Amino acid sequence: MDEKVDKVNSWLSAVFGEQAVPRYEVNIRTVDVLYQLACCSEARCKETTLLTEDLHHKASEYQADGTHLQEVLQSVGLTDESLSKSSTMYTSTLVDIATVLGVRDTSLYSFMPALNRLTDELLDAEKSERRVQRESLAVQERLSAALLLRGNLEEDAEHILKSQAVESAKTEERLLNMDFVKDKAKELRSRREKKEAQLASRNMHKSLTHQALLQLSEEVTALKLETVPLKKKLEPYMDLSPSPSLARVQIEEAKRELAALDSKLAMNMAFK
Protein backbone atom coordinates (compact mmCIF):
# COMPACT_ATOMS: atom_id res chain seq x y z
CA MET A 1 0.00 0.00 0.00
CA ASP A 2 2.76 2.45 0.95
CA GLU A 3 4.74 1.64 -2.20
CA LYS A 4 1.68 2.34 -4.36
CA VAL A 5 1.05 5.64 -2.58
CA ASP A 6 4.67 6.72 -3.07
CA LYS A 7 4.57 5.83 -6.75
CA VAL A 8 1.24 7.65 -7.21
CA ASN A 9 2.58 10.76 -5.47
CA SER A 10 5.76 10.80 -7.55
CA TRP A 11 3.74 10.32 -10.76
CA LEU A 12 1.32 13.11 -9.86
CA SER A 13 4.23 15.41 -9.04
CA ALA A 14 5.79 14.64 -12.43
CA VAL A 15 2.49 15.22 -14.20
CA PHE A 16 1.58 18.54 -12.56
CA GLY A 17 5.16 19.80 -12.40
CA GLU A 18 5.34 23.13 -10.62
CA GLN A 19 1.58 23.19 -10.02
CA ALA A 20 0.19 21.93 -6.73
CA VAL A 21 -1.11 18.38 -6.76
CA PRO A 22 -4.89 18.36 -6.08
CA ARG A 23 -5.89 16.74 -2.85
CA TYR A 24 -7.68 13.41 -3.09
CA GLU A 25 -9.18 10.93 -0.68
CA VAL A 26 -6.64 8.26 0.14
CA ASN A 27 -8.30 4.88 0.22
CA ILE A 28 -7.69 1.50 -1.32
CA ARG A 29 -9.87 2.06 -4.41
CA THR A 30 -8.53 5.54 -5.18
CA VAL A 31 -4.91 4.42 -4.75
CA ASP A 32 -5.49 1.36 -6.97
CA VAL A 33 -7.04 3.46 -9.75
CA LEU A 34 -4.29 6.08 -9.63
CA TYR A 35 -1.64 3.36 -9.47
CA GLN A 36 -3.01 1.74 -12.63
CA LEU A 37 -3.07 5.13 -14.34
CA ALA A 38 0.52 5.74 -13.30
CA CYS A 39 1.64 2.37 -14.66
CA CYS A 40 -0.20 2.97 -17.96
CA SER A 41 1.29 6.47 -18.22
CA GLU A 42 4.82 5.21 -17.62
CA ALA A 43 4.39 2.44 -20.21
CA ARG A 44 3.03 4.95 -22.74
CA CYS A 45 5.88 7.35 -22.02
CA LYS A 46 8.41 4.55 -22.59
CA GLU A 47 6.74 3.62 -25.88
CA THR A 48 6.72 7.27 -26.96
CA THR A 49 10.41 7.62 -26.05
CA LEU A 50 11.32 4.52 -28.05
CA LEU A 51 9.28 5.70 -31.03
CA THR A 52 10.90 9.13 -30.89
CA GLU A 53 14.34 7.60 -30.75
CA ASP A 54 13.51 5.34 -33.70
CA LEU A 55 12.24 8.31 -35.72
CA HIS A 56 15.41 10.29 -34.92
CA HIS A 57 17.48 7.31 -35.99
CA LYS A 58 15.57 6.95 -39.26
CA ALA A 59 15.84 10.70 -39.89
CA SER A 60 19.60 10.47 -39.41
CA GLU A 61 19.73 7.53 -41.85
CA TYR A 62 17.58 9.38 -44.40
CA GLN A 63 19.76 12.49 -44.02
CA ALA A 64 22.91 10.44 -44.52
CA ASP A 65 21.37 8.74 -47.57
CA GLY A 66 20.36 12.13 -48.95
CA THR A 67 23.81 13.53 -48.48
CA HIS A 68 25.32 10.46 -50.14
CA LEU A 69 22.94 10.67 -53.09
CA GLN A 70 23.60 14.40 -53.48
CA GLU A 71 27.32 13.74 -53.57
CA VAL A 72 26.79 11.01 -56.17
CA LEU A 73 24.67 13.33 -58.33
CA GLN A 74 27.20 16.11 -58.03
CA SER A 75 29.96 13.71 -59.02
CA VAL A 76 28.14 12.92 -62.29
CA GLY A 77 27.29 16.57 -62.91
CA LEU A 78 23.59 16.50 -61.92
CA THR A 79 22.49 19.39 -59.72
CA ASP A 80 19.21 21.19 -59.08
CA GLU A 81 20.23 23.94 -61.49
CA SER A 82 21.09 21.47 -64.28
CA LEU A 83 17.68 19.73 -64.21
CA SER A 84 14.79 21.04 -66.30
CA LYS A 85 11.51 22.17 -64.75
CA SER A 86 9.67 19.04 -65.96
CA SER A 87 12.42 16.78 -64.57
CA THR A 88 12.19 18.54 -61.22
CA MET A 89 8.41 18.13 -61.26
CA TYR A 90 8.66 14.43 -62.15
CA THR A 91 11.25 13.92 -59.41
CA SER A 92 9.02 15.63 -56.84
CA THR A 93 6.07 13.52 -57.97
CA LEU A 94 8.18 10.38 -57.66
CA VAL A 95 9.21 11.39 -54.16
CA ASP A 96 5.58 12.08 -53.19
CA ILE A 97 4.52 8.66 -54.50
CA ALA A 98 7.32 7.00 -52.56
CA THR A 99 6.17 8.86 -49.44
CA VAL A 100 2.55 7.78 -49.96
CA LEU A 101 3.58 4.19 -50.59
CA GLY A 102 5.86 4.24 -47.57
CA VAL A 103 8.90 2.87 -49.42
CA ARG A 104 12.47 3.49 -48.42
CA ASP A 105 13.65 4.67 -51.82
CA THR A 106 12.40 5.28 -55.36
CA SER A 107 13.86 2.15 -56.91
CA LEU A 108 11.72 -0.25 -58.92
CA TYR A 109 12.39 -3.01 -56.37
CA SER A 110 10.78 -0.81 -53.73
CA PHE A 111 7.82 0.32 -55.84
CA MET A 112 6.75 -3.12 -57.09
CA PRO A 113 6.07 -4.72 -53.69
CA ALA A 114 4.27 -1.56 -52.59
CA LEU A 115 2.11 -1.58 -55.72
CA ASN A 116 1.42 -5.28 -55.27
CA ARG A 117 0.42 -4.62 -51.70
CA LEU A 118 -1.89 -1.79 -52.77
CA THR A 119 -3.39 -4.06 -55.46
CA ASP A 120 -4.05 -6.75 -52.87
CA GLU A 121 -5.59 -4.19 -50.56
CA LEU A 122 -7.77 -2.93 -53.43
CA LEU A 123 -8.93 -6.48 -54.24
CA ASP A 124 -9.64 -7.13 -50.57
CA ALA A 125 -11.58 -3.87 -50.38
CA GLU A 126 -13.61 -4.82 -53.48
CA LYS A 127 -14.32 -8.26 -51.99
CA SER A 128 -15.35 -6.64 -48.73
CA GLU A 129 -17.58 -4.20 -50.61
CA ARG A 130 -19.28 -7.03 -52.51
CA ARG A 131 -19.72 -8.98 -49.29
CA VAL A 132 -21.17 -5.91 -47.59
CA GLN A 133 -23.51 -5.39 -50.55
CA ARG A 134 -24.70 -9.01 -50.34
CA GLU A 135 -25.19 -8.72 -46.60
CA SER A 136 -26.99 -5.40 -47.09
CA LEU A 137 -29.27 -6.99 -49.71
CA ALA A 138 -29.99 -9.91 -47.39
CA VAL A 139 -30.72 -7.49 -44.56
CA GLN A 140 -33.04 -5.50 -46.81
CA GLU A 141 -34.88 -8.67 -47.81
CA ARG A 142 -35.21 -9.72 -44.18
CA LEU A 143 -36.35 -6.21 -43.30
CA SER A 144 -38.96 -6.27 -46.07
CA ALA A 145 -40.17 -9.68 -44.89
CA ALA A 146 -40.27 -8.43 -41.29
CA LEU A 147 -42.24 -5.32 -42.32
CA LEU A 148 -44.67 -7.47 -44.30
CA LEU A 149 -45.05 -9.84 -41.36
CA ARG A 150 -45.54 -6.87 -39.07
CA GLY A 151 -48.29 -5.53 -41.35
CA ASN A 152 -49.99 -8.93 -41.42
CA LEU A 153 -49.73 -9.22 -37.65
CA GLU A 154 -51.18 -5.75 -37.19
CA GLU A 155 -54.08 -6.64 -39.50
CA ASP A 156 -54.63 -9.91 -37.63
CA ALA A 157 -54.47 -8.10 -34.30
CA GLU A 158 -56.99 -5.51 -35.52
CA HIS A 159 -59.28 -8.28 -36.79
CA ILE A 160 -58.97 -10.12 -33.49
CA LEU A 161 -59.76 -6.94 -31.54
CA LYS A 162 -62.84 -6.35 -33.68
CA SER A 163 -63.92 -9.97 -33.25
CA GLN A 164 -63.37 -9.72 -29.51
CA ALA A 165 -65.47 -6.55 -29.40
CA VAL A 166 -68.29 -8.27 -31.32
CA GLU A 167 -68.07 -11.40 -29.13
CA SER A 168 -68.01 -9.23 -26.02
CA ALA A 169 -71.16 -7.44 -27.18
CA LYS A 170 -72.83 -10.79 -27.97
CA THR A 171 -71.78 -12.18 -24.60
CA GLU A 172 -73.12 -9.14 -22.82
CA GLU A 173 -76.39 -9.47 -24.73
CA ARG A 174 -76.60 -13.16 -23.84
CA LEU A 175 -75.99 -12.32 -20.19
CA LEU A 176 -78.75 -9.72 -20.30
CA ASN A 177 -81.09 -12.23 -21.98
CA MET A 178 -80.10 -14.86 -19.44
CA ASP A 179 -80.86 -12.47 -16.60
CA PHE A 180 -84.21 -11.66 -18.24
CA VAL A 181 -85.01 -15.36 -18.67
CA LYS A 182 -84.03 -16.08 -15.07
CA ASP A 183 -86.23 -13.26 -13.82
CA LYS A 184 -89.10 -14.42 -16.05
CA ALA A 185 -88.71 -18.02 -14.89
CA LYS A 186 -88.68 -16.85 -11.30
CA GLU A 187 -91.84 -14.82 -11.93
CA LEU A 188 -93.58 -17.76 -13.64
CA ARG A 189 -92.54 -20.11 -10.85
CA SER A 190 -93.97 -17.71 -8.30
CA ARG A 191 -97.20 -17.38 -10.31
CA ARG A 192 -97.47 -21.17 -10.65
CA GLU A 193 -96.97 -21.65 -6.94
CA LYS A 194 -99.67 -19.07 -6.25
CA LYS A 195 -102.06 -20.76 -8.69
CA GLU A 196 -101.32 -24.17 -7.19
CA ALA A 197 -101.98 -22.74 -3.77
CA GLN A 198 -105.30 -21.30 -5.01
CA LEU A 199 -106.27 -24.63 -6.58
CA ALA A 200 -105.33 -26.48 -3.43
CA SER A 201 -107.42 -24.08 -1.38
CA ARG A 202 -110.41 -24.88 -3.64
CA ASN A 203 -109.97 -28.68 -3.23
CA MET A 204 -109.36 -29.26 -6.93
CA HIS A 205 -108.90 -32.91 -7.90
CA LYS A 206 -105.50 -33.91 -9.19
CA SER A 207 -107.02 -35.46 -12.31
CA LEU A 208 -107.91 -31.96 -13.58
CA THR A 209 -104.37 -30.65 -13.52
CA HIS A 210 -102.54 -29.91 -16.72
CA GLN A 211 -100.16 -32.82 -16.24
CA ALA A 212 -103.02 -35.24 -15.59
CA LEU A 213 -104.91 -33.99 -18.67
CA LEU A 214 -101.83 -34.44 -20.82
CA GLN A 215 -101.42 -37.98 -19.53
CA LEU A 216 -105.09 -38.73 -20.18
CA SER A 217 -104.79 -37.36 -23.73
CA GLU A 218 -101.83 -39.63 -24.36
CA GLU A 219 -103.80 -42.63 -23.08
CA VAL A 220 -106.79 -41.79 -25.33
CA THR A 221 -104.50 -41.49 -28.36
CA ALA A 222 -102.98 -44.88 -27.55
CA LEU A 223 -106.43 -46.47 -27.24
CA LYS A 224 -107.48 -45.00 -30.60
CA LEU A 225 -104.43 -46.53 -32.20
CA GLU A 226 -105.33 -49.92 -30.66
CA THR A 227 -108.89 -49.73 -32.03
CA VAL A 228 -107.79 -49.13 -35.64
CA PRO A 229 -106.96 -52.80 -36.44
CA LEU A 230 -110.17 -53.92 -34.70
CA LYS A 231 -112.21 -51.58 -36.91
CA LYS A 232 -110.52 -53.02 -39.99
CA LYS A 233 -111.49 -56.54 -38.91
CA LEU A 234 -115.12 -55.45 -38.41
CA GLU A 235 -115.41 -53.63 -41.76
CA PRO A 236 -116.66 -56.81 -43.71
CA TYR A 237 -119.46 -57.25 -41.16
CA MET A 238 -120.61 -53.66 -41.11
CA ASP A 239 -123.19 -54.23 -43.95
CA LEU A 240 -124.94 -57.13 -42.17
CA SER A 241 -128.30 -56.52 -40.53
CA PRO A 242 -128.43 -56.71 -36.80
CA SER A 243 -131.61 -58.94 -37.01
CA PRO A 244 -131.05 -62.73 -37.63
CA SER A 245 -134.19 -63.07 -39.79
CA LEU A 246 -133.18 -60.18 -41.97
CA ALA A 247 -129.71 -61.66 -42.21
CA ARG A 248 -131.21 -64.97 -43.48
CA VAL A 249 -133.30 -63.10 -46.08
CA GLN A 250 -130.18 -61.24 -47.28
CA ILE A 251 -128.34 -64.56 -47.52
CA GLU A 252 -131.16 -66.13 -49.60
CA GLU A 253 -131.16 -63.13 -51.92
CA ALA A 254 -127.43 -63.46 -52.32
CA LYS A 255 -127.84 -67.16 -53.16
CA ARG A 256 -130.47 -66.41 -55.84
CA GLU A 257 -128.27 -63.72 -57.35
CA LEU A 258 -125.38 -66.20 -57.40
CA ALA A 259 -127.57 -68.89 -59.09
CA ALA A 260 -128.69 -66.39 -61.74
CA LEU A 261 -125.12 -65.47 -62.45
CA ASP A 262 -124.17 -69.17 -62.77
CA SER A 263 -127.00 -69.85 -65.24
CA LYS A 264 -126.14 -66.82 -67.26
CA LEU A 265 -122.52 -67.92 -67.35
CA ALA A 266 -123.55 -71.43 -68.48
CA MET A 267 -125.67 -70.02 -71.29
CA ASN A 268 -122.81 -67.88 -72.47
CA MET A 269 -120.58 -70.96 -72.48
CA ALA A 270 -123.17 -72.93 -74.52
CA PHE A 271 -123.47 -70.22 -77.17
CA LYS A 272 -119.73 -70.23 -77.57
Side-chain angles (χ1 to χ4, degrees):
M1 182 69 178
D2 294 336
E3 293 178 358
K4 289 184 179 181
V5 172
D6 294 338
K7 185 171 182 177
V8 168
N9 291 330
S10 61
W11 174 67
L12 292 174
S13 299
V15 170
F16 287 96
E18 295 180 357
Q19 297 180 2
V21 177
R23 299 183 63 183
Y24 62 92
E25 183 180 356
V26 180
N27 54 41
I28 296 175
R29 179 171 177 77
T30 305
V31 172
D32 289 339
V33 172
L34 292 175
Y35 181 76
Q36 291 178 2
L37 290 175
C39 292
C40 292
S41 178
E42 288 181 356
R44 184 62 60 84
C45 290
K46 288 180 180 179
E47 292 176 358
T48 304
T49 302
L50 293 174
L51 182 60
T52 304
E53 291 177 355
D54 183 63
L55 292 176
H56 283 303
H57 181 67
K58 288 183 178 180
S60 300
E61 290 181 354
Y62 291 153
Q63 188 174 4
D65 291 341
T67 302
H68 175 68
L69 292 174
Q70 188 174 6
E71 291 175 355
V72 171
L73 292 174
Q74 288 177 357
S75 64
V76 296
L78 294 175
T79 60
D80 294 338
E81 292 78 8
S82 63
L83 295 175
S84 63
K85 186 177 181 180
S86 59
S87 299
T88 304
M89 184 179 63
Y90 293 152
T91 304
S92 298
T93 303
L94 190 62
V95 171
D96 293 337
I97 293 173
T99 303
V100 171
L101 295 176
V103 296
R104 182 179 179 84
D105 51 37
T106 57
S107 64
L108 183 61
Y109 296 104
S110 298
F111 276 119
M112 290 304 295
L115 291 174
N116 291 332
R117 184 177 68 254
L118 287 178
T119 303
D120 293 338
E121 292 178 357
L122 177 62
L123 293 175
D124 292 338
E126 290 177 351
K127 290 180 181 178
S128 299
E129 184 179 2
R130 289 194 294 270
R131 178 175 54 80
V132 170
Q133 288 178 353
R134 290 195 300 270
E135 293 177 355
S136 177
L137 182 61
V139 170
Q140 289 178 358
E141 292 177 354
R142 289 196 295 270
L143 179 60
S144 300
L147 292 176
L148 180 61
L149 179 60
R150 178 182 177 183
N152 294 333
L153 290 176
E154 288 178 352
E155 291 179 359
D156 294 340
E158 185 177 0
H159 180 69
I160 290 172
L161 290 175
K162 290 181 180 179
S163 300
Q164 287 180 348
V166 173
E167 290 297 330
S168 178
K170 290 181 178 179
T171 303
E172 186 175 359
E173 183 178 0
R174 292 193 190 99
L175 290 175
L176 293 175
N177 293 334
M178 187 179 296
D179 294 337
F180 174 77
V181 170
K182 287 181 178 179
D183 294 339
K184 198 67 177 177
K186 186 177 181 180
E187 180 183 356
L188 293 174
R189 190 182 303 111
S190 177
R191 291 172 59 185
R192 188 193 67 184
E193 291 176 354
K194 289 181 180 179
K195 294 298 181 181
E196 289 178 352
Q198 290 178 0
L199 293 174
S201 63
R202 294 175 184 176
N203 296 323
M204 181 179 175
H205 197 270
K206 291 182 179 181
S207 60
L208 298 178
T209 60
H210 179 69
Q211 185 67 29
L213 294 175
L214 286 177
Q215 186 175 359
L216 181 61
S217 176
E218 292 177 355
E219 292 177 356
V220 169
T221 303
L223 290 174
K224 286 182 178 180
L225 293 175
E226 291 178 0
T227 58
V228 169
L230 296 176
K231 287 181 178 181
K232 289 183 178 180
K233 291 181 179 180
L234 293 174
E235 283 179 356
Y237 305 99
M238 294 300 291
D239 295 334
L240 295 177
S241 176
S243 174
S245 59
L246 291 176
R248 284 194 296 270
V249 171
Q250 290 178 355
I251 292 170
E252 291 296 333
E253 290 179 355
K255 286 180 178 180
R256 286 195 296 270
E257 290 177 359
L258 183 59
L261 289 174
D262 289 338
S263 62
K264 188 176 181 180
L265 180 59
M267 291 174 65
N268 289 333
M269 293 296 292
F271 285 123
K272 291 180 178 180

